[in-house]
Amino acid sequence: MGSQILILLLLCLLFLISSVSLSAYALCQNDERLALLHFKQSFKIDTNPIDYCVQSSIQQNSYESVQNSYPKTTSWNSSTDCCLWDGVTCDESTGQVIELDLSCSRLRGTIDSNSSLFHLSHLQKLNLAGNQFYGSLISHKFGDFSYLTHLNLSSSRLSGQIPLKILHLPNLISLDLGDSFYDYSALEIENDDFMFLLQNATQLREIVLDGIPIHSTIPHNVSSSITTLSLSYTELKGSLPSTIFHLPNLKKLFLKGNQNLTIRFPSIRWNSSLSLSYLDLGYTRCPPHIIESLRNLSRVKFLGLANCGLRGNVSETILDLEQLISLNLRDNNLEGGFADLFIKLWRLKKLFLSDNSITAQFPSSITNITHLEALDLSNNSLCGTVPSLAF
């Protein structure tokens, strides 16, 4: 009796395994498999690439994790299920391709409006960042992906006017068209479209347009739905509305490199529920006593104030920001010691204080920071001995 039960269980197990195998084989839809293969064949693989993904992270002081590039499409094979291909994700019930992540895949070539990419009509997430599509105008066909929630075409060397259809995608949550090198993208955006994007983003949460020459002001009524706003090196002008610091959902604000943008902080108490944790105002027109104005940012973890005209000792206010993980104060006029930083800001992983006028002993308190990954104190007047436990 026991052996019969065992045999029955084994038969059930074999049936389940075969069912899973059959369903997995049936997942991939043939028309989408052919579209992906045609898309693969339309590009060359760059065998000696400039690694945009690694370098862009260095450019941003490694705020985000580093991603190495490798050619994902080389493993695609017509004899295998496309839902199992590297970078491809399918809907388990329909077999339709819903996600395509070919970021940092060393693709070199052009994408035009006739590309088979646009046959993948059920895409919800599309990431082509860090490839080289030189000579490609950004196609209006990207605006036909009506199910799209995430679109990332950053650092992909696309050019031309950003089609309005993309900005009107009904389900879009995250839009990244930026250039991580900050060397001014070949993409363009109309002033009215930029205003629309920031003011009417009821669904959109993340907007990244780094390096795109916008030549505009930032509107006062930015959508309260936005969680990430990254506009570094976009040639913004005028004053940053202080109302932006009252946005309840804003977590990341990057405005670095906008030398004609004047920063304005609220004259009244900031929103006590402010969740801002990433803030980079480096190389903008910062207000006097900017650090003292940051005392409401109790949750900030990444703070960039490079070339903001800071003077004197590192303010006590900085020491109150005990959640800091990365602090960039390079290229200012700081003079005093900074030993207390290593006592109170023990969570620091990255500290950049280069190109200041700091005259001090190298602090022994640096040994308090056990997670330190990057430290730049160059072009100061430090003396003394570097503790051996610091590295």
Side-chain angles (χ1 to χ4, degrees), residues 147-186:
Y147 298 104
L148 209 61
T149 60
H150 293 72
L151 177 61
N152 189 341
L153 303 176
S154 62
S155 301
S156 56
R157 296 308 187 251
L158 292 169
S159 60
Q161 194 76 36
I162 298 172
L164 191 58
K165 286 179 67 176
I166 293 177
L167 308 183
H168 281 275
L169 282 168
N171 296 300
L172 199 62
I173 295 173
S174 177
L175 176 64
D176 189 345
L177 302 177
D179 191 316
S180 298
F181 276 115
Y182 304 145
D183 58 357
Y184 294 112
S185 167

mmCIF file of all heavy atoms in Angstrom, residues 147-186:
data_model
loop_
_atom_site.group_PDB
_atom_site.id
_atom_site.type_symbol
_atom_site.label_atom_id
_atom_site.label_comp_id
_atom_site.label_asym_id
_atom_site.label_seq_id
_atom_site.Cartn_x
_atom_site.Cartn_y
_atom_site.Cartn_z
ATOM 1 N N TYR A 147 0.645 51.082 -22.140
ATOM 2 C CA TYR A 147 0.702 50.422 -20.836
ATOM 3 C C TYR A 147 1.971 50.792 -20.056
ATOM 4 O O TYR A 147 2.147 50.347 -18.919
ATOM 5 C CB TYR A 147 0.664 48.898 -21.003
ATOM 6 C CG TYR A 147 -0.604 48.380 -21.637
ATOM 7 C CD1 TYR A 147 -0.620 47.974 -22.965
ATOM 8 C CD2 TYR A 147 -1.789 48.292 -20.913
ATOM 9 C CE1 TYR A 147 -1.778 47.496 -23.555
ATOM 10 C CE2 TYR A 147 -2.955 47.811 -21.484
ATOM 11 C CZ TYR A 147 -2.943 47.415 -22.811
ATOM 12 O OH TYR A 147 -4.093 46.949 -23.388
ATOM 13 N N LEU A 148 2.823 51.580 -20.669
ATOM 14 C CA LEU A 148 4.140 51.838 -20.097
ATOM 15 C C LEU A 148 4.048 52.607 -18.774
ATOM 16 O O LEU A 148 3.396 53.632 -18.673
ATOM 17 C CB LEU A 148 4.984 52.636 -21.089
ATOM 18 C CG LEU A 148 6.500 52.439 -21.042
ATOM 19 C CD1 LEU A 148 6.868 50.986 -21.338
ATOM 20 C CD2 LEU A 148 7.184 53.359 -22.039
ATOM 21 N N THR A 149 4.740 52.065 -17.747
ATOM 22 C CA THR A 149 4.838 52.751 -16.457
ATOM 23 C C THR A 149 6.243 53.306 -16.213
ATOM 24 O O THR A 149 6.398 54.291 -15.498
ATOM 25 C CB THR A 149 4.479 51.809 -15.297
ATOM 26 O OG1 THR A 149 5.383 50.691 -15.275
ATOM 27 C CG2 THR A 149 3.055 51.308 -15.435
ATOM 28 N N HIS A 150 7.267 52.662 -16.807
ATOM 29 C CA HIS A 150 8.651 53.088 -16.606
ATOM 30 C C HIS A 150 9.354 53.166 -17.960
ATOM 31 O O HIS A 150 9.377 52.182 -18.703
ATOM 32 C CB HIS A 150 9.410 52.101 -15.709
ATOM 33 C CG HIS A 150 8.915 52.066 -14.287
ATOM 34 N ND1 HIS A 150 7.707 51.505 -13.942
ATOM 35 C CD2 HIS A 150 9.480 52.530 -13.132
ATOM 36 C CE1 HIS A 150 7.535 51.624 -12.638
ATOM 37 N NE2 HIS A 150 8.587 52.239 -12.126
ATOM 38 N N LEU A 151 9.925 54.333 -18.264
ATOM 39 C CA LEU A 151 10.683 54.524 -19.494
ATOM 40 C C LEU A 151 12.025 55.148 -19.164
ATOM 41 O O LEU A 151 12.095 56.237 -18.593
ATOM 42 C CB LEU A 151 9.925 55.428 -20.469
ATOM 43 C CG LEU A 151 10.645 55.771 -21.778
ATOM 44 C CD1 LEU A 151 10.947 54.510 -22.576
ATOM 45 C CD2 LEU A 151 9.822 56.755 -22.620
ATOM 46 N N ASN A 152 13.098 54.442 -19.511
ATOM 47 C CA ASN A 152 14.451 54.932 -19.248
ATOM 48 C C ASN A 152 15.256 54.870 -20.542
ATOM 49 O O ASN A 152 15.605 53.789 -21.020
ATOM 50 C CB ASN A 152 15.127 54.087 -18.163
ATOM 51 C CG ASN A 152 16.440 54.688 -17.691
ATOM 52 O OD1 ASN A 152 17.038 55.522 -18.375
ATOM 53 N ND2 ASN A 152 16.908 54.278 -16.537
ATOM 54 N N LEU A 153 15.537 56.058 -21.095
ATOM 55 C CA LEU A 153 16.360 56.177 -22.302
ATOM 56 C C LEU A 153 17.596 57.016 -22.009
ATOM 57 O O LEU A 153 18.183 57.616 -22.914
ATOM 58 C CB LEU A 153 15.543 56.825 -23.428
ATOM 59 C CG LEU A 153 14.242 56.116 -23.823
ATOM 60 C CD1 LEU A 153 13.491 56.932 -24.870
ATOM 61 C CD2 LEU A 153 14.522 54.709 -24.343
ATOM 62 N N SER A 154 18.010 57.055 -20.766
ATOM 63 C CA SER A 154 19.104 57.935 -20.352
ATOM 64 C C SER A 154 20.436 57.501 -20.946
ATOM 65 O O SER A 154 20.690 56.324 -21.184
ATOM 66 C CB SER A 154 19.211 57.964 -18.823
ATOM 67 O OG SER A 154 19.516 56.672 -18.309
ATOM 68 N N SER A 155 21.291 58.490 -21.204
ATOM 69 C CA SER A 155 22.659 58.257 -21.705
ATOM 70 C C SER A 155 22.674 57.300 -22.893
ATOM 71 O O SER A 155 23.555 56.450 -23.006
ATOM 72 C CB SER A 155 23.544 57.709 -20.577
ATOM 73 O OG SER A 155 23.590 58.602 -19.496
ATOM 74 N N SER A 156 21.704 57.432 -23.776
ATOM 75 C CA SER A 156 21.617 56.534 -24.926
ATOM 76 C C SER A 156 21.900 57.248 -26.235
ATOM 77 O O SER A 156 21.781 56.668 -27.303
ATOM 78 C CB SER A 156 20.229 55.880 -24.982
ATOM 79 O OG SER A 156 19.204 56.855 -25.016
ATOM 80 N N ARG A 157 22.255 58.542 -26.136
ATOM 81 C CA ARG A 157 22.674 59.336 -27.293
ATOM 82 C C ARG A 157 21.565 59.526 -28.335
ATOM 83 O O ARG A 157 21.839 59.665 -29.523
ATOM 84 C CB ARG A 157 23.927 58.728 -27.941
ATOM 85 C CG ARG A 157 25.165 58.747 -27.033
ATOM 86 C CD ARG A 157 25.395 60.138 -26.505
ATOM 87 N NE ARG A 157 26.639 60.269 -25.768
ATOM 88 C CZ ARG A 157 26.729 60.430 -24.446
ATOM 89 N NH1 ARG A 157 25.620 60.445 -23.731
ATOM 90 N NH2 ARG A 157 27.885 60.571 -23.857
ATOM 91 N N LEU A 158 20.331 59.521 -27.881
ATOM 92 C CA LEU A 158 19.222 59.911 -28.752
ATOM 93 C C LEU A 158 19.225 61.426 -28.910
ATOM 94 O O LEU A 158 19.779 62.149 -28.085
ATOM 95 C CB LEU A 158 17.896 59.445 -28.162
ATOM 96 C CG LEU A 158 17.664 57.934 -28.119
ATOM 97 C CD1 LEU A 158 16.441 57.608 -27.270
ATOM 98 C CD2 LEU A 158 17.486 57.377 -29.527
ATOM 99 N N SER A 159 18.578 61.916 -29.948
ATOM 100 C CA SER A 159 18.575 63.357 -30.198
ATOM 101 C C SER A 159 17.191 63.806 -30.662
ATOM 102 O O SER A 159 16.307 62.999 -30.930
ATOM 103 C CB SER A 159 19.626 63.713 -31.265
ATOM 104 O OG SER A 159 19.357 63.039 -32.482
ATOM 105 N N GLY A 160 17.035 65.142 -30.743
ATOM 106 C CA GLY A 160 15.805 65.709 -31.267
ATOM 107 C C GLY A 160 14.815 66.126 -30.198
ATOM 108 O O GLY A 160 15.064 66.004 -28.999
ATOM 109 N N GLN A 161 13.686 66.636 -30.674
ATOM 110 C CA GLN A 161 12.630 67.127 -29.792
ATOM 111 C C GLN A 161 11.917 65.961 -29.113
ATOM 112 O O GLN A 161 11.526 65.000 -29.775
ATOM 113 C CB GLN A 161 11.632 67.938 -30.614
ATOM 114 C CG GLN A 161 10.684 68.781 -29.787
ATOM 115 C CD GLN A 161 11.368 70.021 -29.235
ATOM 116 O OE1 GLN A 161 12.214 70.605 -29.891
ATOM 117 N NE2 GLN A 161 10.996 70.397 -28.024
ATOM 118 N N ILE A 162 11.758 66.056 -27.795
ATOM 119 C CA ILE A 162 11.037 65.012 -27.069
ATOM 120 C C ILE A 162 9.562 65.083 -27.472
ATOM 121 O O ILE A 162 8.902 66.107 -27.261
ATOM 122 C CB ILE A 162 11.184 65.194 -25.552
ATOM 123 C CG1 ILE A 162 12.661 65.078 -25.149
ATOM 124 C CG2 ILE A 162 10.352 64.162 -24.795
ATOM 125 C CD1 ILE A 162 12.927 65.441 -23.702
ATOM 126 N N PRO A 163 9.032 64.023 -28.058
ATOM 127 C CA PRO A 163 7.639 64.060 -28.527
ATOM 128 C C PRO A 163 6.653 64.248 -27.379
ATOM 129 O O PRO A 163 6.810 63.659 -26.304
ATOM 130 C CB PRO A 163 7.451 62.677 -29.178
ATOM 131 C CG PRO A 163 8.844 62.211 -29.499
ATOM 132 C CD PRO A 163 9.709 62.763 -28.415
ATOM 133 N N LEU A 164 5.651 65.050 -27.619
ATOM 134 C CA LEU A 164 4.644 65.328 -26.600
ATOM 135 C C LEU A 164 3.900 64.054 -26.211
ATOM 136 O O LEU A 164 3.437 63.919 -25.071
ATOM 137 C CB LEU A 164 3.663 66.384 -27.119
ATOM 138 C CG LEU A 164 2.685 66.987 -26.097
ATOM 139 C CD1 LEU A 164 3.432 67.631 -24.953
ATOM 140 C CD2 LEU A 164 1.768 67.997 -26.777
ATOM 141 N N LYS A 165 3.801 63.101 -27.136
ATOM 142 C CA LYS A 165 3.096 61.852 -26.855
ATOM 143 C C LYS A 165 3.730 61.100 -25.691
ATOM 144 O O LYS A 165 3.029 60.437 -24.917
ATOM 145 C CB LYS A 165 3.088 60.955 -28.098
ATOM 146 C CG LYS A 165 2.138 61.401 -29.190
ATOM 147 C CD LYS A 165 2.208 60.467 -30.384
ATOM 148 C CE LYS A 165 1.679 59.086 -30.046
ATOM 149 N NZ LYS A 165 1.662 58.206 -31.241
ATOM 150 N N ILE A 166 5.053 61.196 -25.564
ATOM 151 C CA ILE A 166 5.731 60.518 -24.458
ATOM 152 C C ILE A 166 5.315 61.137 -23.128
ATOM 153 O O ILE A 166 5.069 60.441 -22.144
ATOM 154 C CB ILE A 166 7.262 60.586 -24.641
ATOM 155 C CG1 ILE A 166 7.694 59.759 -25.856
ATOM 156 C CG2 ILE A 166 7.982 60.097 -23.390
ATOM 157 C CD1 ILE A 166 9.173 59.827 -26.150
ATOM 158 N N LEU A 167 5.224 62.458 -23.102
ATOM 159 C CA LEU A 167 4.885 63.160 -21.872
ATOM 160 C C LEU A 167 3.437 62.936 -21.471
ATOM 161 O O LEU A 167 3.057 63.189 -20.318
ATOM 162 C CB LEU A 167 5.162 64.658 -22.033
ATOM 163 C CG LEU A 167 6.559 65.044 -22.535
ATOM 164 C CD1 LEU A 167 6.717 66.555 -22.574
ATOM 165 C CD2 LEU A 167 7.645 64.411 -21.684
ATOM 166 N N HIS A 168 2.619 62.458 -22.421
ATOM 167 C CA HIS A 168 1.198 62.234 -22.156
ATOM 168 C C HIS A 168 0.864 60.752 -21.959
ATOM 169 O O HIS A 168 -0.320 60.414 -21.904
ATOM 170 C CB HIS A 168 0.357 62.791 -23.300
ATOM 171 C CG HIS A 168 0.175 64.280 -23.259
ATOM 172 N ND1 HIS A 168 -0.811 64.891 -22.512
ATOM 173 C CD2 HIS A 168 0.870 65.283 -23.856
ATOM 174 C CE1 HIS A 168 -0.733 66.202 -22.660
ATOM 175 N NE2 HIS A 168 0.286 66.467 -23.471
ATOM 176 N N LEU A 169 1.873 59.897 -21.854
ATOM 177 C CA LEU A 169 1.586 58.478 -21.637
ATOM 178 C C LEU A 169 0.738 58.323 -20.376
ATOM 179 O O LEU A 169 1.120 58.782 -19.300
ATOM 180 C CB LEU A 169 2.890 57.691 -21.507
ATOM 181 C CG LEU A 169 3.613 57.381 -22.826
ATOM 182 C CD1 LEU A 169 5.016 56.873 -22.577
ATOM 183 C CD2 LEU A 169 2.813 56.352 -23.628
ATOM 184 N N PRO A 170 -0.412 57.668 -20.467
ATOM 185 C CA PRO A 170 -1.395 57.715 -19.381
ATOM 186 C C PRO A 170 -1.002 56.993 -18.109
ATOM 187 O O PRO A 170 -1.481 57.338 -17.023
ATOM 188 C CB PRO A 170 -2.630 57.049 -20.011
ATOM 189 C CG PRO A 170 -2.081 56.164 -21.079
ATOM 190 C CD PRO A 170 -0.895 56.889 -21.625
ATOM 191 N N ASN A 171 -0.124 55.983 -18.207
ATOM 192 C CA ASN A 171 0.228 55.187 -17.034
ATOM 193 C C ASN A 171 1.666 55.395 -16.570
ATOM 194 O O ASN A 171 2.138 54.686 -15.679
ATOM 195 C CB ASN A 171 0.008 53.701 -17.324
ATOM 196 C CG ASN A 171 -1.448 53.385 -17.584
ATOM 197 O OD1 ASN A 171 -2.302 53.600 -16.730
ATOM 198 N ND2 ASN A 171 -1.747 52.891 -18.785
ATOM 199 N N LEU A 172 2.352 56.373 -17.168
ATOM 200 C CA LEU A 172 3.770 56.555 -16.886
ATOM 201 C C LEU A 172 4.000 57.030 -15.458
ATOM 202 O O LEU A 172 3.424 58.018 -15.006
ATOM 203 C CB LEU A 172 4.372 57.556 -17.874
ATOM 204 C CG LEU A 172 5.892 57.520 -18.027
ATOM 205 C CD1 LEU A 172 6.352 56.167 -18.559
ATOM 206 C CD2 LEU A 172 6.369 58.628 -18.946
ATOM 207 N N ILE A 173 4.868 56.296 -14.738
ATOM 208 C CA ILE A 173 5.241 56.625 -13.370
ATOM 209 C C ILE A 173 6.656 57.188 -13.309
ATOM 210 O O ILE A 173 6.937 58.107 -12.537
ATOM 211 C CB ILE A 173 5.132 55.380 -12.471
ATOM 212 C CG1 ILE A 173 3.682 54.911 -12.370
ATOM 213 C CG2 ILE A 173 5.686 55.660 -11.072
ATOM 214 C CD1 ILE A 173 3.521 53.594 -11.646
ATOM 215 N N SER A 174 7.549 56.645 -14.135
ATOM 216 C CA SER A 174 8.954 57.050 -14.095
ATOM 217 C C SER A 174 9.453 57.354 -15.507
ATOM 218 O O SER A 174 9.311 56.522 -16.413
ATOM 219 C CB SER A 174 9.805 55.931 -13.477
ATOM 220 O OG SER A 174 11.180 56.263 -13.490
ATOM 221 N N LEU A 175 10.021 58.556 -15.694
ATOM 222 C CA LEU A 175 10.567 58.980 -16.983
ATOM 223 C C LEU A 175 12.002 59.455 -16.792
ATOM 224 O O LEU A 175 12.256 60.413 -16.065
ATOM 225 C CB LEU A 175 9.727 60.119 -17.567
ATOM 226 C CG LEU A 175 10.232 60.739 -18.873
ATOM 227 C CD1 LEU A 175 10.199 59.717 -20.006
ATOM 228 C CD2 LEU A 175 9.413 61.969 -19.249
ATOM 229 N N ASP A 176 12.946 58.773 -17.431
ATOM 230 C CA ASP A 176 14.357 59.143 -17.341
ATOM 231 C C ASP A 176 14.905 59.304 -18.752
ATOM 232 O O ASP A 176 15.119 58.330 -19.470
ATOM 233 C CB ASP A 176 15.149 58.071 -16.583
ATOM 234 C CG ASP A 176 16.581 58.508 -16.279
ATOM 235 O OD1 ASP A 176 17.047 59.500 -16.881
ATOM 236 O OD2 ASP A 176 17.242 57.856 -15.447
ATOM 237 N N LEU A 177 15.132 60.566 -19.139
ATOM 238 C CA LEU A 177 15.708 60.893 -20.446
ATOM 239 C C LEU A 177 17.029 61.629 -20.282
ATOM 240 O O LEU A 177 17.529 62.236 -21.226
ATOM 241 C CB LEU A 177 14.728 61.760 -21.247
ATOM 242 C CG LEU A 177 13.342 61.167 -21.506
ATOM 243 C CD1 LEU A 177 12.466 62.179 -22.242
ATOM 244 C CD2 LEU A 177 13.440 59.874 -22.297
ATOM 245 N N GLY A 178 17.593 61.585 -19.099
ATOM 246 C CA GLY A 178 18.766 62.383 -18.786
ATOM 247 C C GLY A 178 20.056 61.843 -19.358
ATOM 248 O O GLY A 178 20.123 60.750 -19.922
ATOM 249 N N ASP A 179 21.097 62.652 -19.215
ATOM 250 C CA ASP A 179 22.444 62.277 -19.635
ATOM 251 C C ASP A 179 23.334 62.281 -18.405
ATOM 252 O O ASP A 179 23.580 63.327 -17.812
ATOM 253 C CB ASP A 179 22.980 63.260 -20.675
ATOM 254 C CG ASP A 179 24.258 62.758 -21.335
ATOM 255 O OD1 ASP A 179 25.134 62.260 -20.599
ATOM 256 O OD2 ASP A 179 24.393 62.862 -22.559
ATOM 257 N N SER A 180 23.775 61.105 -18.011
ATOM 258 C CA SER A 180 24.534 60.991 -16.770
ATOM 259 C C SER A 180 25.890 61.676 -16.826
ATOM 260 O O SER A 180 26.507 61.933 -15.796
ATOM 261 C CB SER A 180 24.725 59.512 -16.416
ATOM 262 O OG SER A 180 23.479 58.892 -16.203
ATOM 263 N N PHE A 181 26.374 61.966 -18.040
ATOM 264 C CA PHE A 181 27.654 62.667 -18.166
ATOM 265 C C PHE A 181 27.505 64.169 -17.960
ATOM 266 O O PHE A 181 28.496 64.884 -17.837
ATOM 267 C CB PHE A 181 28.264 62.415 -19.552
ATOM 268 C CG PHE A 181 29.041 61.137 -19.622
ATOM 269 C CD1 PHE A 181 28.611 60.105 -20.429
ATOM 270 C CD2 PHE A 181 30.188 60.960 -18.873
ATOM 271 C CE1 PHE A 181 29.327 58.923 -20.496
ATOM 272 C CE2 PHE A 181 30.911 59.786 -18.938
ATOM 273 C CZ PHE A 181 30.476 58.759 -19.748
ATOM 274 N N TYR A 182 26.265 64.662 -17.956
ATOM 275 C CA TYR A 182 26.011 66.090 -17.813
ATOM 276 C C TYR A 182 26.705 66.903 -18.903
ATOM 277 O O TYR A 182 27.090 68.047 -18.694
ATOM 278 C CB TYR A 182 26.481 66.613 -16.451
ATOM 279 C CG TYR A 182 25.889 65.917 -15.265
ATOM 280 C CD1 TYR A 182 26.642 65.717 -14.115
ATOM 281 C CD2 TYR A 182 24.582 65.479 -15.264
ATOM 282 C CE1 TYR A 182 26.103 65.098 -13.003
ATOM 283 C CE2 TYR A 182 24.033 64.853 -14.156
ATOM 284 C CZ TYR A 182 24.794 64.665 -13.036
ATOM 285 O OH TYR A 182 24.254 64.045 -11.935
ATOM 286 N N ASP A 183 26.922 66.314 -20.082
ATOM 287 C CA ASP A 183 27.632 67.059 -21.130
ATOM 288 C C ASP A 183 26.658 67.655 -22.149
ATOM 289 O O ASP A 183 27.006 67.892 -23.288
ATOM 290 C CB ASP A 183 28.664 66.168 -21.827
ATOM 291 C CG ASP A 183 28.042 64.918 -22.447
ATOM 292 O OD1 ASP A 183 26.822 64.717 -22.277
ATOM 293 O OD2 ASP A 183 28.777 64.151 -23.082
ATOM 294 N N TYR A 184 25.460 67.881 -21.693
ATOM 295 C CA TYR A 184 24.393 68.482 -22.483
ATOM 296 C C TYR A 184 23.940 67.561 -23.607
ATOM 297 O O TYR A 184 24.593 67.382 -24.612
ATOM 298 C CB TYR A 184 24.775 69.869 -22.997
ATOM 299 C CG TYR A 184 24.918 70.841 -21.861
ATOM 300 C CD1 TYR A 184 26.151 71.361 -21.528
ATOM 301 C CD2 TYR A 184 23.811 71.196 -21.088
ATOM 302 C CE1 TYR A 184 26.289 72.231 -20.454
ATOM 303 C CE2 TYR A 184 23.945 72.059 -20.013
ATOM 304 C CZ TYR A 184 25.181 72.576 -19.702
ATOM 305 O OH TYR A 184 25.320 73.409 -18.635
ATOM 306 N N SER A 185 22.791 66.996 -23.370
ATOM 307 C CA SER A 185 22.178 66.023 -24.257
ATOM 308 C C SER A 185 21.784 66.678 -25.586
ATOM 309 O O SER A 185 21.592 67.880 -25.676
ATOM 310 C CB SER A 185 20.943 65.448 -23.562
ATOM 311 O OG SER A 185 20.136 64.734 -24.448
ATOM 312 N N ALA A 186 21.641 65.832 -26.601
ATOM 313 C CA ALA A 186 21.148 66.303 -27.904
ATOM 314 C C ALA A 186 19.627 66.304 -27.939
ATOM 315 O O ALA A 186 19.039 66.658 -28.958
ATOM 316 C CB ALA A 186 21.709 65.422 -29.014
#
